[in-house]
Amino acid sequence: MDRINAILKDQEYQAYLREIGICEKDRIFCRHNMAHFLDVARLAWIFNLEEHMNLERERIYAAALLHDIGRHLQYREWIPHEKASEKLAAPILERCGFENQEKEEILKAIADHRSKEIAQERTLSGILYRADKMSRSCFGCDAEQQCDWSAEKKNKRIIR
């Protein structure tokens, strides 16, 4: 997990986390912070194991840690965060030693993580999508009534 720890220590990554924190300082809904990123990583790893996909742990964690890193650009510049995150993640992955094929797979998963069409895919993109959606604890959220997620989308029970 050396490359994952390199992501966590990356100065630009840390700066993006701070920017997201500033933008979400008064947010009452789910935040896009390290707790969310790690929840997504761990759920994706579990899905990988349960589905016998044999995906590399570092690819899963890299995708999860970076999938929302452009969220501050969505708040400030109205850039869809999956596009912003894909762009911001590329140089981080390179600095942290990911090879071209790995980078392509991770960046595709980041870019696709809001595309419902990939929800059931047995790929990094598919498990990142599922983990991201299932990471939200709507059943215990104080702001659930004000949330604009549809009733079908909200996690009102634990299913896995």
Side-chain angles (χ1 to χ4, degrees):
M1 297 288 276
D2 291 341
R3 296 182 298 177
I4 298 308
N5 288 312
I7 292 172
L8 295 174
K9 293 177 185 174
D10 186 87
Q11 289 182 354
E12 283 185 16
Y13 181 74
Q14 288 295 320
Y16 301 145
L17 288 177
R18 286 190 296 276
E19 292 301 314
I20 295 167
I22 290 166
C23 291
E24 293 187 344
K25 177 177 59 93
D26 297 320
R27 184 177 167 93
I28 62 170
F29 304 109
C30 299
R31 293 188 181 196
H32 302 87
N33 55 20
M34 189 56 64
H36 170 60
F37 298 159
L38 289 174
D39 284 347
V40 171
R42 291 172 178 142
L43 283 168
W45 179 247
I46 291 168
F47 299 161
N48 175 58
L49 295 174
E50 288 179 348
E51 298 171 25
H52 308 285
M53 293 174 55
N54 299 316
L55 296 174
E56 183 183 315
R57 187 188 317 240
E58 281 192 318
R59 289 185 197 197
I60 291 171
Y61 270 73
L65 290 175
L66 295 165
H67 80 283
D68 282 338
I69 203 66
R71 194 73 187 195
H72 64 287
L73 295 175
Q74 182 167 324
Y75 295 130
R76 293 183 176 147
E77 299 176 27
W78 300 99
I79 300 170
H81 77 270
E82 66 277 15
K83 293 183 186 325
S85 298
E86 178 186 18
K87 183 178 179 183
L88 297 177
I92 295 172
L93 290 167
E94 188 150 327
R95 281 194 301 275
C96 295
F98 287 86
E99 300 295 326
N100 284 337
Q101 181 183 358
E102 294 173 304
K103 285 190 309 190
E104 288 175 19
E105 181 183 20
I106 293 164
L107 293 173
K108 180 178 180 350
I110 292 168
D112 290 346
H113 86 271
R114 297 183 70 205
S115 301
K116 197 176 200 175
E117 298 78 36
I118 56 111
Q120 298 309 314
E121 283 185 11
R122 291 178 40 81
T123 61
L124 179 59
S125 294
I127 65 169
L128 182 66
Y129 176 91
R130 293 191 300 279
D132 187 39
K133 301 309 172 252
M134 291 181 76
S135 71
R136 303 308 189 169
S137 301
C138 304
F139 52 81
C141 179
D142 292 335
E144 186 264 328
Q145 293 297 318
Q146 297 131 291
C147 180
D148 64 1
W149 270 23
S150 67
E152 302 81 41
K153 199 172 172 183
K154 290 180 182 177
N155 296 318
K156 301 294 270 179
R157 59 193 177 90
I158 296 173
I159 54 177
R160 283 177 98 161

